[in-house]
Amino acid sequence: MNVEGHTIAVIDDDLRVLESLVNLLKSFGYCTESYNSAEEFLESGTLSRTCCIVTDVEMRQMSGLGLLQYLKSSNCAVPIIIITGKPSARSEAFYLEKGAVGFFRKPVDGDALVELIGSVCV
């Protein structure tokens, strides 16, 4: 699969997780942009060239859910994948009902994440 031109925005306030996800995606040939917060991503102006967003749920200001709701209310069609280190019994169903295309618990299953990104960035 040719992944050139497919920019993945990765958003997490945990720098270790952020670096790990960016390195994983780059190893599969994806161009990535990393952000420490949802606000930093929104202010960057890169949404128009983003084919997928991978975001943590729990962040200091705007949460991953807040970002998901904001983008969906703006009729943004960019697929959003939610990751969290603190899932509840109903987390996955909740985020998928809200419009996320995927949900992963930390530590993230890298193969499954790359497979999902490959299916939504075509």
PDB file of all heavy atoms in Angstrom, residues 87-106:
ATOM      1  N   PRO A  87      -9.868   2.748  30.409  1.00  0.00           N
ATOM      2  CA  PRO A  87     -11.169   2.390  29.834  1.00  0.00           C
ATOM      3  C   PRO A  87     -12.152   1.918  30.901  1.00  0.00           C
ATOM      4  O   PRO A  87     -11.746   1.404  31.947  1.00  0.00           O
ATOM      5  CB  PRO A  87     -10.825   1.236  28.887  1.00  0.00           C
ATOM      6  CG  PRO A  87      -9.636   0.598  29.530  1.00  0.00           C
ATOM      7  CD  PRO A  87      -8.854   1.735  30.151  1.00  0.00           C
ATOM      8  N   SER A  88     -13.410   2.122  30.624  1.00  0.00           N
ATOM      9  CA  SER A  88     -14.463   1.554  31.471  1.00  0.00           C
ATOM     10  C   SER A  88     -15.087   0.393  30.704  1.00  0.00           C
ATOM     11  O   SER A  88     -14.738   0.151  29.546  1.00  0.00           O
ATOM     12  CB  SER A  88     -15.520   2.612  31.790  1.00  0.00           C
ATOM     13  OG  SER A  88     -16.237   2.945  30.615  1.00  0.00           O
ATOM     14  N   ALA A  89     -16.005  -0.285  31.305  1.00  0.00           N
ATOM     15  CA  ALA A  89     -16.635  -1.441  30.673  1.00  0.00           C
ATOM     16  C   ALA A  89     -17.347  -1.056  29.383  1.00  0.00           C
ATOM     17  O   ALA A  89     -17.476  -1.851  28.464  1.00  0.00           O
ATOM     18  CB  ALA A  89     -17.604  -2.101  31.640  1.00  0.00           C
ATOM     19  N   ARG A  90     -17.819   0.178  29.296  1.00  0.00           N
ATOM     20  CA  ARG A  90     -18.600   0.602  28.138  1.00  0.00           C
ATOM     21  C   ARG A  90     -17.887   1.619  27.242  1.00  0.00           C
ATOM     22  O   ARG A  90     -18.456   2.147  26.310  1.00  0.00           O
ATOM     23  CB  ARG A  90     -19.923   1.192  28.653  1.00  0.00           C
ATOM     24  CG  ARG A  90     -20.903   1.450  27.559  1.00  0.00           C
ATOM     25  CD  ARG A  90     -22.329   1.485  27.963  1.00  0.00           C
ATOM     26  NE  ARG A  90     -23.082   2.418  27.174  1.00  0.00           N
ATOM     27  CZ  ARG A  90     -23.227   2.378  25.863  1.00  0.00           C
ATOM     28  NH1 ARG A  90     -22.652   1.446  25.161  1.00  0.00           N
ATOM     29  NH2 ARG A  90     -23.940   3.288  25.222  1.00  0.00           N
ATOM     30  N   SER A  91     -16.628   1.879  27.507  1.00  0.00           N
ATOM     31  CA  SER A  91     -15.892   2.913  26.767  1.00  0.00           C
ATOM     32  C   SER A  91     -15.950   2.740  25.258  1.00  0.00           C
ATOM     33  O   SER A  91     -16.262   3.680  24.536  1.00  0.00           O
ATOM     34  CB  SER A  91     -14.412   2.932  27.181  1.00  0.00           C
ATOM     35  OG  SER A  91     -14.258   3.310  28.503  1.00  0.00           O
ATOM     36  N   GLU A  92     -15.629   1.547  24.779  1.00  0.00           N
ATOM     37  CA  GLU A  92     -15.549   1.343  23.333  1.00  0.00           C
ATOM     38  C   GLU A  92     -16.874   1.653  22.652  1.00  0.00           C
ATOM     39  O   GLU A  92     -16.925   2.413  21.688  1.00  0.00           O
ATOM     40  CB  GLU A  92     -15.122  -0.090  23.012  1.00  0.00           C
ATOM     41  CG  GLU A  92     -14.940  -0.323  21.538  1.00  0.00           C
ATOM     42  CD  GLU A  92     -14.304  -1.661  21.219  1.00  0.00           C
ATOM     43  OE1 GLU A  92     -14.092  -2.467  22.139  1.00  0.00           O
ATOM     44  OE2 GLU A  92     -14.008  -1.888  20.042  1.00  0.00           O
ATOM     45  N   ALA A  93     -17.945   1.088  23.158  1.00  0.00           N
ATOM     46  CA  ALA A  93     -19.263   1.324  22.555  1.00  0.00           C
ATOM     47  C   ALA A  93     -19.621   2.809  22.606  1.00  0.00           C
ATOM     48  O   ALA A  93     -20.152   3.361  21.644  1.00  0.00           O
ATOM     49  CB  ALA A  93     -20.328   0.496  23.260  1.00  0.00           C
ATOM     50  N   PHE A  94     -19.317   3.460  23.707  1.00  0.00           N
ATOM     51  CA  PHE A  94     -19.630   4.878  23.873  1.00  0.00           C
ATOM     52  C   PHE A  94     -18.947   5.721  22.792  1.00  0.00           C
ATOM     53  O   PHE A  94     -19.591   6.529  22.121  1.00  0.00           O
ATOM     54  CB  PHE A  94     -19.196   5.353  25.268  1.00  0.00           C
ATOM     55  CG  PHE A  94     -19.356   6.826  25.476  1.00  0.00           C
ATOM     56  CD1 PHE A  94     -20.597   7.364  25.781  1.00  0.00           C
ATOM     57  CD2 PHE A  94     -18.269   7.685  25.367  1.00  0.00           C
ATOM     58  CE1 PHE A  94     -20.753   8.741  25.971  1.00  0.00           C
ATOM     59  CE2 PHE A  94     -18.412   9.048  25.556  1.00  0.00           C
ATOM     60  CZ  PHE A  94     -19.659   9.579  25.860  1.00  0.00           C
ATOM     61  N   TYR A  95     -17.633   5.537  22.619  1.00  0.00           N
ATOM     62  CA  TYR A  95     -16.904   6.361  21.651  1.00  0.00           C
ATOM     63  C   TYR A  95     -17.283   6.035  20.214  1.00  0.00           C
ATOM     64  O   TYR A  95     -17.337   6.930  19.370  1.00  0.00           O
ATOM     65  CB  TYR A  95     -15.393   6.249  21.870  1.00  0.00           C
ATOM     66  CG  TYR A  95     -14.990   6.965  23.130  1.00  0.00           C
ATOM     67  CD1 TYR A  95     -14.669   6.259  24.285  1.00  0.00           C
ATOM     68  CD2 TYR A  95     -14.985   8.357  23.194  1.00  0.00           C
ATOM     69  CE1 TYR A  95     -14.331   6.918  25.458  1.00  0.00           C
ATOM     70  CE2 TYR A  95     -14.661   9.019  24.359  1.00  0.00           C
ATOM     71  CZ  TYR A  95     -14.329   8.299  25.485  1.00  0.00           C
ATOM     72  OH  TYR A  95     -14.020   8.963  26.638  1.00  0.00           O
ATOM     73  N   LEU A  96     -17.557   4.779  19.934  1.00  0.00           N
ATOM     74  CA  LEU A  96     -17.994   4.420  18.583  1.00  0.00           C
ATOM     75  C   LEU A  96     -19.364   5.031  18.290  1.00  0.00           C
ATOM     76  O   LEU A  96     -19.607   5.512  17.182  1.00  0.00           O
ATOM     77  CB  LEU A  96     -18.012   2.909  18.407  1.00  0.00           C
ATOM     78  CG  LEU A  96     -16.632   2.233  18.477  1.00  0.00           C
ATOM     79  CD1 LEU A  96     -16.779   0.722  18.369  1.00  0.00           C
ATOM     80  CD2 LEU A  96     -15.672   2.774  17.432  1.00  0.00           C
ATOM     81  N   GLU A  97     -20.257   5.051  19.284  1.00  0.00           N
ATOM     82  CA  GLU A  97     -21.567   5.688  19.108  1.00  0.00           C
ATOM     83  C   GLU A  97     -21.430   7.187  18.873  1.00  0.00           C
ATOM     84  O   GLU A  97     -22.236   7.789  18.166  1.00  0.00           O
ATOM     85  CB  GLU A  97     -22.448   5.443  20.335  1.00  0.00           C
ATOM     86  CG  GLU A  97     -22.950   4.020  20.459  1.00  0.00           C
ATOM     87  CD  GLU A  97     -23.597   3.727  21.804  1.00  0.00           C
ATOM     88  OE1 GLU A  97     -23.779   4.664  22.624  1.00  0.00           O
ATOM     89  OE2 GLU A  97     -23.897   2.543  22.051  1.00  0.00           O
ATOM     90  N   LYS A  98     -20.406   7.801  19.455  1.00  0.00           N
ATOM     91  CA  LYS A  98     -20.174   9.240  19.288  1.00  0.00           C
ATOM     92  C   LYS A  98     -19.534   9.580  17.951  1.00  0.00           C
ATOM     93  O   LYS A  98     -19.402  10.742  17.605  1.00  0.00           O
ATOM     94  CB  LYS A  98     -19.308   9.785  20.432  1.00  0.00           C
ATOM     95  CG  LYS A  98     -19.965   9.718  21.786  1.00  0.00           C
ATOM     96  CD  LYS A  98     -21.117  10.677  21.868  1.00  0.00           C
ATOM     97  CE  LYS A  98     -21.759  10.668  23.236  1.00  0.00           C
ATOM     98  NZ  LYS A  98     -22.966  11.480  23.287  1.00  0.00           N
ATOM     99  N   GLY A  99     -19.082   8.556  17.200  1.00  0.00           N
ATOM    100  CA  GLY A  99     -18.547   8.809  15.872  1.00  0.00           C
ATOM    101  C   GLY A  99     -17.099   8.439  15.644  1.00  0.00           C
ATOM    102  O   GLY A  99     -16.578   8.633  14.534  1.00  0.00           O
ATOM    103  N   ALA A 100     -16.422   7.911  16.656  1.00  0.00           N
ATOM    104  CA  ALA A 100     -15.048   7.444  16.447  1.00  0.00           C
ATOM    105  C   ALA A 100     -15.076   6.221  15.534  1.00  0.00           C
ATOM    106  O   ALA A 100     -16.033   5.453  15.546  1.00  0.00           O
ATOM    107  CB  ALA A 100     -14.390   7.096  17.778  1.00  0.00           C
ATOM    108  N   VAL A 101     -14.016   6.041  14.750  1.00  0.00           N
ATOM    109  CA  VAL A 101     -13.941   4.862  13.880  1.00  0.00           C
ATOM    110  C   VAL A 101     -13.224   3.712  14.558  1.00  0.00           C
ATOM    111  O   VAL A 101     -13.233   2.586  14.055  1.00  0.00           O
ATOM    112  CB  VAL A 101     -13.259   5.175  12.525  1.00  0.00           C
ATOM    113  CG1 VAL A 101     -14.068   6.198  11.733  1.00  0.00           C
ATOM    114  CG2 VAL A 101     -11.820   5.615  12.714  1.00  0.00           C
ATOM    115  N   GLY A 102     -12.589   3.989  15.694  1.00  0.00           N
ATOM    116  CA  GLY A 102     -11.894   2.938  16.415  1.00  0.00           C
ATOM    117  C   GLY A 102     -11.604   3.348  17.837  1.00  0.00           C
ATOM    118  O   GLY A 102     -11.626   4.534  18.169  1.00  0.00           O
ATOM    119  N   PHE A 103     -11.341   2.348  18.662  1.00  0.00           N
ATOM    120  CA  PHE A 103     -11.068   2.564  20.081  1.00  0.00           C
ATOM    121  C   PHE A 103     -10.005   1.560  20.509  1.00  0.00           C
ATOM    122  O   PHE A 103     -10.136   0.368  20.240  1.00  0.00           O
ATOM    123  CB  PHE A 103     -12.346   2.364  20.900  1.00  0.00           C
ATOM    124  CG  PHE A 103     -12.135   2.484  22.378  1.00  0.00           C
ATOM    125  CD1 PHE A 103     -12.197   3.710  23.002  1.00  0.00           C
ATOM    126  CD2 PHE A 103     -11.866   1.353  23.144  1.00  0.00           C
ATOM    127  CE1 PHE A 103     -11.995   3.821  24.370  1.00  0.00           C
ATOM    128  CE2 PHE A 103     -11.664   1.456  24.508  1.00  0.00           C
ATOM    129  CZ  PHE A 103     -11.727   2.694  25.125  1.00  0.00           C
ATOM    130  N   PHE A 104      -8.952   2.048  21.172  1.00  0.00           N
ATOM    131  CA  PHE A 104      -7.886   1.183  21.650  1.00  0.00           C
ATOM    132  C   PHE A 104      -7.547   1.508  23.095  1.00  0.00           C
ATOM    133  O   PHE A 104      -7.490   2.673  23.482  1.00  0.00           O
ATOM    134  CB  PHE A 104      -6.621   1.353  20.800  1.00  0.00           C
ATOM    135  CG  PHE A 104      -6.769   0.826  19.405  1.00  0.00           C
ATOM    136  CD1 PHE A 104      -7.217   1.651  18.388  1.00  0.00           C
ATOM    137  CD2 PHE A 104      -6.470  -0.495  19.114  1.00  0.00           C
ATOM    138  CE1 PHE A 104      -7.368   1.178  17.097  1.00  0.00           C
ATOM    139  CE2 PHE A 104      -6.618  -0.985  17.830  1.00  0.00           C
ATOM    140  CZ  PHE A 104      -7.069  -0.153  16.815  1.00  0.00           C
ATOM    141  N   ARG A 105      -7.293   0.451  23.850  1.00  0.00           N
ATOM    142  CA  ARG A 105      -6.787   0.592  25.207  1.00  0.00           C
ATOM    143  C   ARG A 105      -5.267   0.654  25.154  1.00  0.00           C
ATOM    144  O   ARG A 105      -4.659   0.003  24.314  1.00  0.00           O
ATOM    145  CB  ARG A 105      -7.230  -0.610  26.048  1.00  0.00           C
ATOM    146  CG  ARG A 105      -8.704  -0.644  26.312  1.00  0.00           C
ATOM    147  CD  ARG A 105      -9.147  -2.043  26.780  1.00  0.00           C
ATOM    148  NE  ARG A 105     -10.573  -2.073  27.068  1.00  0.00           N
ATOM    149  CZ  ARG A 105     -11.521  -2.165  26.144  1.00  0.00           C
ATOM    150  NH1 ARG A 105     -11.209  -2.231  24.867  1.00  0.00           N
ATOM    151  NH2 ARG A 105     -12.792  -2.192  26.492  1.00  0.00           N
ATOM    152  N   LYS A 106      -4.679   1.428  26.050  1.00  0.00           N
ATOM    153  CA  LYS A 106      -3.221   1.465  26.160  1.00  0.00           C
ATOM    154  C   LYS A 106      -2.784   0.276  27.023  1.00  0.00           C
ATOM    155  O   LYS A 106      -3.452  -0.011  28.010  1.00  0.00           O
ATOM    156  CB  LYS A 106      -2.753   2.765  26.803  1.00  0.00           C
ATOM    157  CG  LYS A 106      -3.007   3.998  25.949  1.00  0.00           C
ATOM    158  CD  LYS A 106      -2.527   5.235  26.685  1.00  0.00           C
ATOM    159  CE  LYS A 106      -2.848   6.509  25.941  1.00  0.00           C
ATOM    160  NZ  LYS A 106      -2.488   7.699  26.718  1.00  0.00           N
TER     161      LYS A 106
END
